[in-house]
Amino acid sequence: MIKAKRFLMYLFLCIVSFISVFPLYWMVSAATNKSADVVSGRLVPGTNFLENWRNLMANQNVGGAFVNSFKYAAILTIISLVVSSLAGYGFEIYHDKAKDTVMSIILLAMMVPFVATMIPLFRMFSSAGWLNTTIGFILPSISTPFLIMMFRQSARSFPHDIMEAARIDGLSEIRIFFQMFIPTMRSTYAAAMTITFMNAWNNYLWPKVIMTDADSQTMPMVVANLTQGYVTDYGMLMLAVLICTLPTAIVFFCLQNAFAEGITGAVK
Amino acid sequence: MNSKKKMTLSKKHNLTGWVFLFPGAFLIFMMSFVPMIQALLLSFKTGVGAAMKSCGVTNYVRMFQDAVFVQSIKNTFFYLIIQVPIMLIFALILASILNNKNLRFKGLFRTMIFLPCATSLVAYAVIFRSLFANNGLINLVLVNLGILDQPYSFLTHMWSARIVIIIALLWRWTGYNMVFYLSGLQNIEYSVYEAAKIDGASAAQTFFKITVPLLKPTILLTAIMSTNGTLQLFDESVNLTDGGPANASITMSHYIYNMSFKYVPNFGYAAAMSFLILILVAVLAFLQMKVGDKRD
């Protein structure tokens, strides 16, 4: 009875895991096969990878889009981490009633759906000449209530007597932040970094709105472009999907625990 | 003398705090609250560019007579009501199985179920679009098994298109929510479960009497987040079904995008529709918090 139950539990987990992994396996395998083979149901990796690669490069500016996506995501991540952690630190370490009120107003911004701000932001950015620019991409997502809250939570565990000691030693407040807070909170920063980088890389709606030039397009946009034709070359399409997934998959595998902590981070 | 010096020091620290939080707070103010108010003002206007003029509540009246927008509200709520509960229950069951101390390969199972989160929304939408295409793998398997006589065009039939979107959403987000529950379960003493076992509680009893009540704050949080996310669905609608067939699976955000950037831009009308989403998000979050409070 107990054995049968355990068996069913493992069977259930295996089925769920299979369903979770299979579409990704199919993507990798399709990226190495001819479109005709993919359609006929071939499920093992093939030898058409280079051909797909050549077709893809001839069809879309993948290299440019990849560099764009990486540039936007990397710059956004660095600035966002500094600005948000500084704010979270400021809210917690020097907290008083007024700052707590400001914090609860900021939390309300979590409820504002992006579509509700998208049109005014587009108008604002296009009159400022920020269409097709990095600043246009990053500005709306530099400071997020989620990250501020996450760093505010982690600043709570920053030992107060260390701060006092540093102050007596004559360290300025900003140096305490950069030289003591950041190194101690390395794991929070890793979590915040993975979540910010992944969100930036995967963002689709905002770049679709402001990146009107073909040269400024991001990787998800290129993938979406490839589905527009009447006949789909599955080998080429899945190779593009694979390239688009690779950076986030690498981050996922290297920093899985940090990522898990990142999405749940502000909650604890 | 001494107390005066302390006063100035705490004042100085107070000021430092404001300086530190200013850039972050200012950006949120400028990038969320200001545009939100501009959207509200814009929603009472009509026309294009500099020639926009006031039109009262016409936009708000119009959207409830707009068959496509009404359809997009229905679709979005269909996704919300069907997909979110299934996903959360499923995630909860998976998390409580994976929380079992005697389970082998726990890390491996967790990684595999969590893996879909590594894909971008566009990427997985395109993968599912290909799998469910006329000449896709799903049709191939169903025809070969003899379940279907000929390929069924999932993406061009109204109900199957919507269901494919739900299946895709379940695939992408179940593991994500599971991670929240797993981290919530870690805060529950495992001895509680062992005590329940000794007392002879069944798995179902343990689940409903221990896991669910203790995880209530986390469940509430995931419910609010999923509701918020579902009301803003965009990437899937655009890349999986393109809103089709004939707008049968279009979401609100997708229609607002079309109204602003695909068709002749009508920013005033689109802003009015986007404001409705804002109100819906706020009302639903409020209701969920009320319900969450009650069960205490």
Coordinates of all heavy atoms in Angstrom, one line a residue, chain A residues 6 9-10 17 19-20 24 41 94 96 99 105 110-111 113-117 119-120 123 143 167 173-174 202 204-205 208-209 220 224 227 234 238 248 252 256-257 259 263 267, chain B residues 13-14 17 24 28 32-33 35 38-39 52 102-104 109-112 114 118-120 122 129-130 133 135 140 171 176 180 228 232 234-235 239 257 260 267 270 274 278 281:
Chain A
R6 N 4.0 5.4 -2.9 CA 5.3 6.1 -3.2 C 5.6 6.0 -4.7 O 6.0 7.0 -5.3 CB 6.5 5.4 -2.4 CG 6.6 5.7 -1.0 CD 7.9 5.1 -0.4 NE 9.1 5.8 -0.9 CZ 9.5 7.0 -0.3 NH1 8.8 7.5 0.7 NH2 10.6 7.6 -0.7
M9 N 3.6 8.5 -6.5 CA 4.2 9.9 -6.2 C 5.3 10.1 -7.2 O 5.4 11.2 -7.8 CB 4.6 10.0 -4.8 CG 4.8 11.4 -4.3 SD 5.0 11.3 -2.5 CE 6.7 10.8 -2.3
Y10 N 6.2 9.1 -7.3 CA 7.4 9.3 -8.2 C 6.9 9.4 -9.6 O 7.4 10.2 -10.4 CB 8.4 8.2 -8.0 CG 9.3 8.4 -6.8 CD1 9.1 7.6 -5.7 CD2 10.3 9.3 -6.8 CE1 9.9 7.8 -4.6 CE2 11.1 9.6 -5.7 CZ 10.9 8.8 -4.6 OH 11.7 9.0 -3.5
S17 N 7.7 16.5 -14.5 CA 9.1 16.9 -14.9 C 9.2 16.7 -16.4 O 9.8 17.6 -17.1 CB 10.1 16.1 -14.2 OG 10.0 16.2 -12.8
I19 N 6.9 16.8 -18.7 CA 6.1 17.9 -19.4 C 6.9 19.2 -19.3 O 6.9 20.0 -20.3 CB 4.7 18.0 -18.8 CG1 3.9 16.7 -19.1 CG2 4.0 19.2 -19.4 CD1 2.6 16.6 -18.4
S20 N 7.5 19.5 -18.2 CA 8.2 20.7 -18.0 C 9.4 20.8 -18.9 O 9.7 21.9 -19.5 CB 8.7 20.9 -16.6 OG 7.6 20.9 -15.7
L24 N 11.4 22.2 -24.1 CA 12.7 22.8 -24.2 C 13.6 21.9 -25.0 O 14.4 22.3 -25.8 CB 13.2 23.2 -22.8 CG 12.4 24.2 -22.1 CD1 12.8 24.4 -20.7 CD2 12.5 25.6 -22.9
G41 N 8.2 14.9 -37.3 CA 8.2 14.4 -35.9 C 9.6 13.9 -35.5 O 9.6 13.1 -34.5
Y94 N 17.7 54.6 8.0 CA 17.4 55.9 8.6 C 15.9 56.1 8.7 O 15.4 57.1 8.5 CB 17.9 57.0 7.7 CG 19.4 56.8 7.3 CD1 19.7 56.2 6.1 CD2 20.4 57.2 8.1 CE1 21.1 56.0 5.7 CE2 21.7 57.0 7.8 CZ 22.1 56.4 6.6 OH 23.4 56.2 6.2
D96 N 12.1 56.6 9.6 CA 11.2 57.3 10.5 C 9.8 57.3 10.0 O 9.6 56.7 8.9 CB 11.8 58.8 10.8 CG 11.9 59.5 9.5 OD1 11.2 59.2 8.5 OD2 12.7 60.5 9.4
K99 N 9.4 58.5 6.3 CA 10.0 57.6 5.2 C 9.1 56.4 5.1 O 8.9 55.9 4.0 CB 11.4 57.2 5.6 CG 12.4 58.4 5.5 CD 13.8 57.9 5.5 CE 14.8 59.1 5.6 NZ 14.9 59.6 7.0
I105 N 3.6 54.5 0.0 CA 3.1 55.0 -1.3 C 3.8 54.3 -2.5 O 3.2 54.0 -3.5 CB 3.3 56.6 -1.3 CG1 2.5 57.2 -0.3 CG2 3.0 57.1 -2.7 CD1 2.8 58.7 -0.1
M110 N 3.3 49.1 -7.3 CA 3.3 47.7 -7.7 C 1.9 47.3 -8.4 O 1.9 46.4 -9.1 CB 3.4 46.8 -6.5 CG 4.8 46.4 -6.2 SD 4.8 45.2 -4.8 CE 6.5 44.6 -5.0
M111 N 0.9 48.0 -8.0 CA -0.4 47.7 -8.5 C -0.7 48.4 -9.8 O -1.7 48.1 -10.4 CB -1.5 48.2 -7.5 CG -1.6 47.4 -6.2 SD -2.3 45.8 -6.6 CE -1.6 44.8 -5.3
P113 N -0.6 48.7 -13.5 CA -0.3 47.9 -14.6 C 0.5 48.7 -15.6 O 0.3 49.9 -15.8 CB -1.6 47.4 -15.2 CG -2.6 48.2 -14.6 CD -2.1 49.0 -13.4
F114 N 1.5 48.0 -16.3 CA 2.3 48.7 -17.2 C 1.5 49.4 -18.4 O 1.9 50.5 -18.8 CB 3.4 47.8 -17.8 CG 4.4 48.6 -18.6 CD1 5.3 49.5 -18.1 CD2 4.4 48.4 -20.0 CE1 6.1 50.2 -18.9 CE2 5.3 49.1 -20.8 CZ 6.1 50.0 -20.2
V115 N 0.5 48.7 -18.9 CA -0.3 49.3 -20.0 C -0.9 50.6 -19.6 O -1.1 51.5 -20.5 CB -1.4 48.4 -20.5 CG1 -1.0 47.4 -21.5 CG2 -2.2 47.8 -19.4
A116 N -1.1 50.8 -18.3 CA -1.7 52.1 -17.9 C -0.8 53.3 -18.0 O -1.2 54.4 -18.0 CB -2.3 52.0 -16.5
T117 N 0.5 53.0 -17.9 CA 1.5 54.0 -18.0 C 2.2 54.1 -19.3 O 2.9 55.1 -19.6 CB 2.6 53.9 -16.9 OG1 3.2 52.6 -17.1 CG2 2.0 54.0 -15.5
I119 N 1.3 54.5 -22.5 CA 1.0 55.5 -23.5 C 1.6 56.9 -23.1 O 2.4 57.5 -23.9 CB -0.5 55.6 -23.9 CG1 -0.9 54.3 -24.5 CG2 -0.8 56.8 -24.8 CD1 -2.4 54.1 -24.5
P120 N 1.4 57.4 -21.9 CA 2.0 58.6 -21.5 C 3.6 58.5 -21.5 O 4.2 59.5 -22.0 CB 1.6 58.8 -20.1 CG 0.3 58.1 -20.0 CD 0.4 56.9 -20.9
R123 N 4.7 58.9 -25.1 CA 4.6 60.3 -25.5 C 5.7 61.1 -24.9 O 6.4 61.9 -25.6 CB 3.3 60.9 -25.1 CG 2.1 60.5 -26.1 CD 0.8 60.6 -25.5 NE 0.5 61.9 -24.9 CZ -0.3 62.8 -25.4 NH1 -0.9 62.6 -26.6 NH2 -0.5 63.9 -24.8
S143 N 14.1 51.8 -11.2 CA 13.7 51.7 -9.8 C 12.3 50.9 -9.7 O 11.4 51.4 -10.3 CB 13.5 53.1 -9.2 OG 13.1 53.0 -7.9
R167 N 31.2 54.3 12.1 CA 31.0 55.7 12.2 C 32.1 56.3 13.1 O 32.6 57.4 12.9 CB 29.6 56.0 12.8 CG 28.6 56.1 11.7 CD 27.2 56.2 12.3 NE 26.2 56.1 11.2 CZ 24.9 55.8 11.5 NH1 24.5 55.6 12.7 NH2 24.1 55.7 10.5
E173 N 28.8 58.1 5.7 CA 27.6 57.2 5.5 C 27.6 56.5 4.1 O 27.3 55.3 4.0 CB 26.3 58.1 5.6 CG 26.2 58.7 7.0 CD 26.0 57.7 8.1 OE1 25.1 56.8 7.9 OE2 26.7 57.8 9.1
I174 N 28.0 57.2 3.1 CA 28.0 56.6 1.8 C 29.1 55.6 1.6 O 28.9 54.5 1.0 CB 28.2 57.7 0.7 CG1 27.9 57.2 -0.7 CG2 29.6 58.4 0.7 CD1 26.4 57.1 -1.1
N202 N 13.9 39.6 -21.0 CA 12.7 39.0 -21.5 C 11.6 40.0 -21.9 O 10.6 39.7 -22.5 CB 12.1 38.0 -20.5 CG 12.9 36.8 -20.4 OD1 13.7 36.5 -21.2 ND2 12.8 36.1 -19.2
Y204 N 9.2 42.5 -23.5 CA 8.8 42.5 -24.9 C 8.0 43.7 -25.2 O 8.2 44.4 -26.2 CB 8.1 41.2 -25.2 CG 7.5 41.1 -26.6 CD1 8.4 41.1 -27.7 CD2 6.2 40.9 -26.8 CE1 7.9 41.0 -28.9 CE2 5.7 40.8 -28.1 CZ 6.5 40.9 -29.1 OH 6.0 40.8 -30.4
L205 N 7.0 44.0 -24.4 CA 6.0 45.0 -24.7 C 6.7 46.4 -24.8 O 6.5 47.1 -25.8 CB 4.9 45.1 -23.6 CG 3.9 46.2 -23.7 CD1 3.2 46.2 -25.1 CD2 2.8 46.0 -22.6
K208 N 9.0 46.8 -27.8 CA 8.1 46.8 -29.0 C 7.5 48.2 -29.2 O 7.3 48.6 -30.4 CB 7.0 45.8 -28.8 CG 6.3 45.3 -30.1 CD 5.4 44.1 -29.8 CE 4.3 44.0 -30.7 NZ 4.6 43.5 -32.1
V209 N 7.3 48.9 -28.1 CA 6.7 50.2 -28.2 C 7.8 51.3 -28.6 O 7.5 52.1 -29.5 CB 6.1 50.7 -26.9 CG1 5.7 52.1 -26.9 CG2 4.8 49.8 -26.6
P220 N 13.9 39.1 -28.1 CA 12.6 38.6 -28.2 C 11.8 39.2 -29.4 O 11.0 38.5 -30.0 CB 11.9 39.1 -26.9 CG 13.1 39.2 -26.0 CD 14.2 39.7 -26.8
A224 N 10.0 37.1 -32.4 CA 8.6 37.3 -32.8 C 8.4 37.7 -34.3 O 7.5 37.2 -34.9 CB 8.0 38.5 -31.9
T227 N 8.0 34.7 -36.8 CA 6.8 34.0 -36.9 C 5.8 34.6 -37.8 O 4.7 34.1 -38.0 CB 6.1 33.8 -35.5 OG1 5.7 35.1 -35.0 CG2 7.0 33.1 -34.5
Y234 N 10.9 25.7 -39.2 CA 11.0 25.4 -37.8 C 12.4 25.3 -37.3 O 12.7 25.7 -36.1 CB 10.2 24.2 -37.5 CG 8.7 24.4 -37.5 CD1 7.9 23.9 -38.5 CD2 8.1 25.1 -36.5 CE1 6.6 24.1 -38.6 CE2 6.7 25.4 -36.6 CZ 6.0 24.8 -37.6 OH 4.6 25.1 -37.6
M238 N 13.4 27.7 -34.3 CA 13.8 27.2 -33.0 C 15.2 27.5 -32.6 O 15.6 27.7 -31.4 CB 13.6 25.7 -32.9 CG 12.1 25.3 -32.8 SD 11.3 26.1 -31.4 CE 9.9 26.8 -32.1
T248 N 19.4 33.5 -20.5 CA 18.6 33.4 -19.2 C 18.8 31.9 -18.7 O 18.8 31.7 -17.5 CB 17.2 33.7 -19.5 OG1 16.7 33.0 -20.6 CG2 17.0 35.2 -19.6
F252 N 20.0 30.9 -15.1 CA 19.2 30.0 -14.3 C 20.0 28.9 -13.8 O 19.9 28.6 -12.6 CB 18.1 29.5 -15.2 CG 17.2 28.5 -14.5 CD1 16.1 29.0 -13.8 CD2 17.4 27.2 -14.6 CE1 15.2 28.1 -13.2 CE2 16.6 26.3 -14.0 CZ 15.5 26.7 -13.3
Q256 N 20.6 29.3 -9.8 CA 19.2 28.9 -9.6 C 18.7 29.3 -8.2 O 17.6 29.8 -8.1 CB 19.1 27.4 -9.8 CG 17.7 26.9 -10.0 CD 17.5 25.5 -9.7 OE1 16.5 25.1 -9.1 NE2 18.4 24.6 -10.3
N257 N 19.5 29.1 -7.2 CA 19.0 29.4 -5.9 C 18.9 30.9 -5.7 O 17.9 31.4 -5.0 CB 20.0 28.8 -4.8 CG 19.9 27.3 -4.7 OD1 18.8 26.8 -5.0 ND2 21.0 26.6 -4.5
F259 N 18.2 32.9 -8.0 CA 17.0 33.3 -8.8 C 15.7 33.0 -8.0 O 14.8 33.8 -7.9 CB 17.0 32.5 -10.1 CG 15.8 32.8 -11.0 CD1 15.4 34.1 -11.3 CD2 15.0 31.7 -11.4 CE1 14.3 34.3 -12.1 CE2 13.9 32.0 -12.2 CZ 13.5 33.3 -12.5
I263 N 12.9 35.8 -6.8 CA 11.5 36.0 -7.1 C 10.7 36.0 -5.8 O 9.7 36.7 -5.6 CB 10.9 35.0 -8.1 CG1 11.2 33.6 -7.7 CG2 11.4 35.3 -9.5 CD1 10.6 32.6 -8.6
V267 N 9.5 38.8 0.0 CA 8.3 38.3 0.7 C 8.7 38.0 2.2 O 7.9 38.3 3.1 CB 7.8 37.1 0.1 CG1 6.6 36.6 0.8 CG2 7.6 37.3 -1.4
Chain B
H13 N 21.7 62.4 9.9 CA 21.4 61.0 9.4 C 20.1 61.0 8.7 O 19.9 60.3 7.7 CB 21.4 60.0 10.6 CG 22.8 59.7 11.0 ND1 23.1 59.0 12.1 CD2 24.0 59.9 10.3 CE1 24.4 58.8 12.2 NE2 25.0 59.3 11.2
N14 N 19.1 61.7 9.3 CA 17.8 61.8 8.7 C 17.9 62.3 7.2 O 17.3 61.7 6.3 CB 16.9 62.7 9.5 CG 15.5 62.8 9.0 OD1 15.1 61.9 8.3 ND2 14.8 63.8 9.4
G17 N 19.4 59.8 4.8 CA 18.4 58.8 4.4 C 17.6 59.3 3.3 O 17.4 58.6 2.3
G24 N 15.7 56.6 -6.2 CA 14.7 55.5 -6.4 C 13.3 56.0 -6.3 O 12.5 55.7 -7.2
I28 N 10.4 56.2 -9.4 CA 9.0 55.6 -9.3 C 7.9 56.6 -9.5 O 7.0 56.4 -10.2 CB 8.9 54.8 -8.0 CG1 9.8 53.6 -8.1 CG2 7.5 54.4 -7.8 CD1 9.7 52.6 -6.9
S32 N 5.8 56.0 -12.8 CA 4.6 55.3 -12.5 C 3.4 56.2 -12.2 O 2.4 56.2 -12.8 CB 4.8 54.3 -11.3 OG 5.3 53.1 -11.7
F33 N 3.6 57.1 -11.2 CA 2.5 57.9 -10.7 C 2.2 59.0 -11.7 O 1.0 59.2 -12.0 CB 2.8 58.4 -9.3 CG 2.8 57.3 -8.3 CD1 3.9 57.1 -7.5 CD2 1.7 56.5 -8.2 CE1 3.9 56.1 -6.6 CE2 1.7 55.4 -7.2 CZ 2.8 55.3 -6.4
P35 N 2.8 59.2 -15.1 CA 2.2 58.7 -16.3 C 0.7 58.2 -16.0 O -0.1 58.3 -16.8 CB 3.0 57.5 -16.7 CG 4.3 57.7 -16.0 CD 4.1 58.5 -14.8
Q38 N -1.4 61.2 -16.0 CA -1.5 61.6 -17.4 C -2.4 60.7 -18.2 O -3.2 61.2 -19.0 CB -0.1 61.6 -18.1 CG 0.8 62.8 -17.6 CD 2.2 62.7 -18.2 OE1 2.7 61.6 -18.4 NE2 2.8 63.8 -18.5
A39 N -2.4 59.4 -17.9 CA -3.3 58.5 -18.6 C -4.7 58.8 -18.3 O -5.6 58.8 -19.1 CB -2.9 57.1 -18.2
M52 N -5.5 67.1 -29.9 CA -6.4 66.4 -29.0 C -7.3 67.3 -28.3 O -6.9 68.4 -27.9 CB -5.6 65.6 -28.0 CG -4.8 64.5 -28.6 SD -4.1 63.3 -27.4 CE -5.5 62.2 -27.3
N102 N 11.8 12.5 2.9 CA 12.3 11.2 2.5 C 12.4 11.1 1.0 O 12.7 10.0 0.5 CB 11.5 10.1 3.1 CG 11.4 10.2 4.6 OD1 12.5 10.4 5.2 ND2 10.3 10.1 5.2
L103 N 12.0 12.1 0.3 CA 11.9 12.1 -1.2 C 13.3 12.1 -1.8 O 14.2 12.8 -1.4 CB 11.1 13.2 -1.8 CG 10.8 13.2 -3.2 CD1 9.6 12.3 -3.4 CD2 10.5 14.6 -3.7
R104 N 13.5 11.2 -2.8 CA 14.8 11.2 -3.4 C 14.8 12.1 -4.7 O 13.7 12.3 -5.2 CB 15.2 9.8 -3.9 CG 15.6 8.9 -2.7 CD 16.3 7.7 -3.2 NE 16.3 6.6 -2.3 CZ 16.8 5.5 -2.5 NH1 17.3 5.2 -3.7 NH2 16.8 4.5 -1.6
F109 N 14.1 17.1 -9.4 CA 12.7 17.3 -9.7 C 12.4 18.8 -9.6 O 11.7 19.4 -10.5 CB 11.7 16.6 -8.7 CG 11.6 15.1 -9.0 CD1 11.8 14.2 -8.0 CD2 11.3 14.7 -10.3 CE1 11.7 12.8 -8.3 CE2 11.1 13.3 -10.6 CZ 11.3 12.4 -9.6
R110 N 12.9 19.5 -8.6 CA 12.6 20.9 -8.4 C 13.2 21.7 -9.6 O 12.5 22.5 -10.2 CB 13.3 21.4 -7.1 CG 12.8 22.8 -6.7 CD 13.6 23.3 -5.6 NE 14.7 24.1 -6.1 CZ 15.2 25.2 -5.6 NH1 14.6 25.7 -4.5 NH2 16.2 25.9 -6.2
T111 N 14.4 21.4 -10.0 CA 15.0 22.1 -11.1 C 14.2 21.9 -12.4 O 14.0 22.9 -13.1 CB 16.5 21.6 -11.3 OG1 17.2 21.8 -10.1 CG2 17.1 22.4 -12.4
M112 N 13.8 20.7 -12.6 CA 13.1 20.4 -13.9 C 11.8 21.1 -13.9 O 11.4 21.7 -14.9 CB 12.9 18.9 -14.1 CG 14.2 18.2 -14.4 SD 14.0 16.6 -15.1 CE 13.5 15.6 -13.7
F114 N 10.9 23.8 -12.3 CA 11.2 25.2 -12.2 C 11.7 25.7 -13.6 O 11.7 26.9 -13.9 CB 12.2 25.4 -11.1 CG 12.4 26.9 -10.7 CD1 11.4 27.8 -10.8 CD2 13.6 27.3 -10.2 CE1 11.6 29.1 -10.5 CE2 13.9 28.6 -9.8 CZ 12.9 29.5 -9.9
A118 N 13.0 29.7 -17.0 CA 14.2 30.2 -17.6 C 13.9 30.8 -19.1 O 14.8 31.4 -19.6 CB 15.3 29.2 -17.7
T119 N 12.8 30.4 -19.6 CA 12.5 30.9 -21.0 C 11.8 32.2 -21.0 O 11.0 32.5 -20.1 CB 11.6 29.9 -21.7 OG1 10.4 29.8 -20.9 CG2 12.2 28.6 -21.9
S120 N 12.1 33.0 -22.0 CA 11.4 34.3 -22.1 C 9.9 34.0 -22.5 O 9.6 33.0 -23.1 CB 12.1 35.2 -23.0 OG 11.7 35.0 -24.3
V122 N 8.2 35.4 -24.9 CA 8.1 35.3 -26.3 C 8.6 33.9 -26.8 O 7.9 33.3 -27.6 CB 8.9 36.4 -27.0 CG1 8.9 36.2 -28.5 CG2 8.4 37.8 -26.7
R129 N 3.3 27.7 -29.9 CA 2.6 27.9 -31.2 C 3.1 26.9 -32.2 O 2.3 26.3 -33.0 CB 3.0 29.3 -31.7 CG 2.5 29.7 -33.0 CD 3.3 31.0 -33.5 NE 2.9 31.4 -34.8 CZ 2.3 32.5 -35.0 NH1 2.0 33.3 -34.1 NH2 2.0 32.8 -36.3
S130 N 4.4 26.5 -32.2 CA 4.9 25.5 -33.1 C 4.4 24.1 -32.8 O 4.0 23.3 -33.6 CB 6.4 25.5 -33.1 OG 6.9 26.8 -33.3
A133 N 0.8 23.8 -33.8 CA 0.4 24.2 -35.2 C -0.2 23.0 -36.0 O -0.2 21.9 -35.5 CB 1.7 24.6 -35.9
N135 N 0.8 21.5 -38.5 CA 1.8 20.5 -38.8 C 2.7 20.3 -37.6 O 3.8 19.8 -37.7 CB 2.6 20.8 -40.1 CG 3.2 22.2 -40.0 OD1 3.1 22.9 -38.9 ND2 3.9 22.6 -41.0
L140 N 0.6 15.6 -34.9 CA 1.2 14.4 -35.4 C 1.0 13.3 -34.5 O 0.6 12.2 -34.9 CB 2.7 14.7 -35.5 CG 3.5 13.7 -36.3 CD1 3.2 13.9 -37.8 CD2 5.0 13.9 -36.1
W171 N 2.1 25.8 -18.1 CA 3.4 25.3 -18.2 C 4.5 26.3 -17.7 O 5.4 25.9 -17.0 CB 3.7 24.9 -19.7 CG 5.1 24.4 -20.0 CD1 5.4 23.1 -19.8 CD2 6.2 25.1 -20.4 NE1 6.7 22.9 -20.1 CE2 7.3 24.1 -20.5 CE3 6.5 26.4 -20.8 CZ2 8.5 24.5 -21.0 CZ3 7.8 26.7 -21.2 CH2 8.8 25.8 -21.3
Y176 N 7.1 28.4 -11.1 CA 7.4 29.7 -10.5 C 6.6 29.9 -9.2 O 7.2 30.2 -8.2 CB 6.9 30.8 -11.5 CG 7.1 32.2 -11.1 CD1 8.3 32.9 -11.4 CD2 6.1 33.0 -10.5 CE1 8.5 34.2 -11.0 CE2 6.3 34.3 -10.1 CZ 7.5 34.9 -10.4 OH 7.7 36.2 -10.1
F180 N 7.6 29.7 -4.6 CA 7.1 30.5 -3.5 C 6.6 29.6 -2.4 O 6.9 29.9 -1.2 CB 5.9 31.4 -4.0 CG 6.3 32.7 -4.6 CD1 6.6 32.7 -6.0 CD2 6.5 33.8 -3.9 CE1 7.0 33.8 -6.6 CE2 6.9 35.0 -4.5 CZ 7.1 35.0 -5.9
N228 N -2.8 39.9 -11.1 CA -2.1 41.1 -11.6 C -1.5 40.8 -13.0 O -1.7 41.5 -14.0 CB -1.1 41.6 -10.7 CG -0.6 43.0 -10.9 OD1 -0.8 43.5 -12.1 ND2 -0.1 43.7 -9.9
Q232 N -2.7 41.6 -17.2 CA -1.8 42.3 -18.1 C -1.2 41.4 -19.2 O -0.3 41.8 -19.9 CB -0.6 42.9 -17.3 CG -1.0 43.8 -16.2 CD 0.2 44.5 -15.6 OE1 1.0 45.0 -16.3 NE2 0.2 44.5 -14.3
F234 N 0.1 39.8 -22.3 CA 0.3 40.5 -23.6 C 1.1 39.5 -24.6 O 0.6 39.2 -25.6 CB 1.1 41.8 -23.4 CG 1.4 42.5 -24.7 CD1 0.5 43.1 -25.4 CD2 2.7 42.4 -25.2 CE1 0.8 43.7 -26.6 CE2 3.1 43.0 -26.4 CZ 2.1 43.7 -27.1
D235 N 2.3 39.1 -24.1 CA 3.2 38.4 -25.0 C 2.6 37.1 -25.6 O 2.8 36.8 -26.7 CB 4.5 38.0 -24.2 CG 5.2 39.2 -23.6 OD1 4.5 40.2 -23.3 OD2 6.4 39.1 -23.4
N239 N 2.0 36.4 -29.5 CA 2.9 35.5 -30.2 C 2.4 34.1 -30.3 O 2.9 33.3 -31.1 CB 4.2 35.5 -29.5 CG 5.0 36.7 -29.7 OD1 5.2 37.1 -30.8 ND2 5.3 37.4 -28.6
Y257 N -2.7 47.7 -27.0 CA -1.5 47.9 -27.8 C -1.9 48.2 -29.3 O -1.4 49.1 -29.9 CB -0.6 46.7 -27.7 CG 0.6 46.9 -28.6 CD1 1.8 47.5 -28.3 CD2 0.6 46.3 -29.9 CE1 2.8 47.7 -29.1 CE2 1.6 46.5 -30.8 CZ 2.7 47.2 -30.4 OH 3.8 47.3 -31.3
S260 N -3.2 51.5 -29.8 CA -2.3 52.7 -29.7 C -1.2 52.7 -30.8 O -0.8 53.7 -31.2 CB -1.6 52.7 -28.4 OG -2.3 52.1 -27.4
F267 N -4.9 57.4 -28.8 CA -4.3 57.3 -27.4 C -5.3 57.6 -26.3 O -5.3 57.0 -25.3 CB -3.2 58.4 -27.3 CG -1.9 57.9 -27.9 CD1 -1.0 58.9 -28.4 CD2 -1.6 56.6 -28.1 CE1 0.2 58.5 -29.0 CE2 -0.4 56.2 -28.7 CZ 0.5 57.1 -29.2
A270 N -7.4 54.4 -25.9 CA -6.5 53.4 -25.3 C -6.2 53.7 -23.8 O -6.2 52.8 -23.0 CB -5.2 53.3 -26.1
S274 N -6.9 51.4 -20.6 CA -5.9 51.0 -19.7 C -6.2 51.4 -18.3 O -5.9 50.7 -17.3 CB -4.6 51.6 -20.1 OG -4.5 52.9 -19.8
L278 N -6.4 49.2 -14.6 CA -5.8 49.7 -13.4 C -6.9 49.5 -12.3 O -6.6 49.0 -11.2 CB -5.4 51.1 -13.5 CG -4.8 51.7 -12.3 CD1 -3.3 52.0 -12.5 CD2 -5.4 53.0 -11.8
V281 N -7.4 45.8 -11.5 CA -6.3 45.3 -10.6 C -6.5 45.7 -9.2 O -6.4 44.9 -8.3 CB -4.9 45.8 -11.2 CG1 -3.8 45.4 -10.2 CG2 -4.6 45.1 -12.5

